[in-house]
Amino acid sequence: MARRTARKLPLILISNDDGVSAPGIRALAKALERLGEVWVVAPEIEQSGMSHALTLSRPLRLREHAPRVWALDGTPADCTYVALHHATLLPRPPSVVVSGINMGLNLGTDVFYSGTVAAAREGALRGVPAMAFSMPARGNAGACAVRARAMVARLLAWREANPTAAAPLVNVNFPDGRAKGVRACSLGVREYENLVEIRNDPRGRQYLWIGGPSVVGSPAEGTDTAAYEAGYVSVTTLRLDLGRDPGDALALALAKRA
Ligand code: MN
């Protein structure tokens, strides 16, 4: 009578924006192998700051980089999209999409620009629970990956207990050095020096570099930016229903006939 428990291991899809050979991806893949069958689909080259861009105007090339590791010459969101919808790439749909571990933080308003978060978000938008992990650029990927594994294990357990709940999108950042602990946070604000640097190329033509370094602000209590500055791992659930409130006063005012 006992039902044969031919249960398959959960399939774990890993991506990020740092490129298929990035140490953060490799550390994460190694750590998560204990939880399930790990597949990597990641950009051929670094795609930081690409947010949720999809490549719709040119063909994409998929290359087998190693067993169960594929490189795509597209964006992070392309990678998740292809992994989820390609008819023969993965043997079955993933139970979770994990993005990272990114070399560089994705705190607060960074999530709007982040390719790391977008690779995970593409999973959540398609109904697959997703987590994004980021660490300081000179962080210890191996140590962070071990902590990431514990959180992914809990997310998988949560999914087993809540199979019909909307797929969550969770953003995690590791602090510099040894973490004092883990905090559940709201999303903070991250400020950068706004910069357009104008230079001249050897042929006398102008070119621009945009984007300045981040500036230390005074983050509001309870935010991920505050947790980071206090030396804690931050865990933030990101809402996908950005425009839920139908009674927003400004929208009502603008919708009024003039
Ligand atoms: Mn990156």
Side-chain angles (χ1 to χ4, degrees), residues 16-19 22 46-49 76 101-106 114-116 134:
N16 190 19
D17 65 7
D18 282 344
E46 198 200 321
Q47 299 284 314
S48 293
I101 298 171
N102 191 58
M103 303 294 239
L105 300 164
N106 281 302
S114 169
T116 303
S134 304

Side-chain angles (χ1 to χ4, degrees), residues 149-165:
R149 177 171 63 212
M151 285 189 235
V152 172
R154 271 184 226 149
L155 181 64
L156 286 166
W158 176 89
R159 188 38 137 187
E160 286 231 342
N162 301 277
T164 56

Side-chain angles (χ1 to χ4, degrees), residues 96-97 120-121 123-125 127-131 155 158-159 162 165-171 237-238 240:
V96 65
V97 176
R121 184 167 52 221
L125 287 172
V128 184
M131 286 186 106
L155 181 64
W158 176 89
R159 188 38 137 187
N162 301 277
L169 170 62
V170 185
N171 188 41
T237 303
L238 300 177
L240 295 175

Side-chain angles (χ1 to χ4, degrees), residues 18 50 93 113 131 176 184 187 196 205 227 231 251:
D18 282 344
M50 293 301 282
Y113 306 92
M131 286 186 106
D176 292 295
L187 194 68
V196 177
R205 289 182 57 185

Side-chain angles (χ1 to χ4, degrees), residues 24 27-28 31-32 101-102 133-136 138-151 172-177 179 233:
L28 190 59
L32 297 187
I101 298 171
N102 191 58
F133 292 98
S134 304
M135 66 181 185
R138 278 183 289 277
N140 180 338
C144 292
V146 170
R147 291 203 95 133
R149 177 171 63 212
M151 285 189 235
V172 176
N173 281 272
F174 295 99
D176 292 295
V233 181

Side-chain angles (χ1 to χ4, degrees), residues 35-238:
L35 299 181
E37 184 181 329
V38 173
W39 286 74
V40 176
V41 182
E44 190 76 72
I45 54 167
E46 198 200 321
Q47 299 284 314
S48 293
M50 293 301 282
S51 190
H52 212 119
L54 290 177
T55 303
L56 303 174
S57 55
R58 64 169 176 85
L60 291 165
R61 302 276 178 186
L62 191 59
R63 176 180 68 81
E64 189 170 18
H65 182 76
R68 286 191 272 132
V69 178
W70 291 81
L72 183 73
D73 66 343
T75 65
D78 287 336
C79 290
T80 303
Y81 185 102
V82 165
L84 294 185
H85 305 301
H86 188 296
T88 56
L89 182 60
L90 302 184
R92 58 189 180 280
S95 299
V96 65
V97 176
V98 187
S99 184
I101 298 171
N102 191 58
M103 303 294 239
L105 300 164
N106 281 302
L107 288 162
T109 33
D110 288 345
V111 302
F112 289 104
Y113 306 92
S114 169
T116 303
V117 172
R121 184 167 52 221
E122 182 61 20
L125 287 172
R126 308 290 171 163
V128 184
M131 286 186 106
F133 292 98
S134 304
M135 66 181 185
R138 278 183 289 277
N140 180 338
C144 292
V146 170
R147 291 203 95 133
R149 177 171 63 212
M151 285 189 235
V152 172
R154 271 184 226 149
L155 181 64
L156 286 166
W158 176 89
R159 188 38 137 187
E160 286 231 342
N162 301 277
T164 56
L169 170 62
V170 185
N171 188 41
V172 176
N173 281 272
F174 295 99
D176 292 295
R178 204 181 179 82
K180 289 186 194 157
V182 185
R183 282 182 180 168
C185 301
S186 60
L187 194 68
V189 174
R190 195 139 187 252
E191 286 177 63
Y192 292 86
E193 271 179 46
N194 298 312
L195 195 70
V196 177
E197 194 167 313
I198 304 167
R199 298 185 186 180
N200 286 306
D201 72 19
R203 296 188 180 90
R205 289 182 57 185
Q206 236 175 43
Y207 66 97
L208 312 173
W209 275 108
I210 67 165
S214 67
V215 286
V216 179
S218 43
E221 213 172 304
T223 58
D224 58 350
T225 38
Y228 169 75
E229 286 188 17
Y232 289 82
V233 181
S234 67
V235 182
T236 304
T237 303
L238 300 177

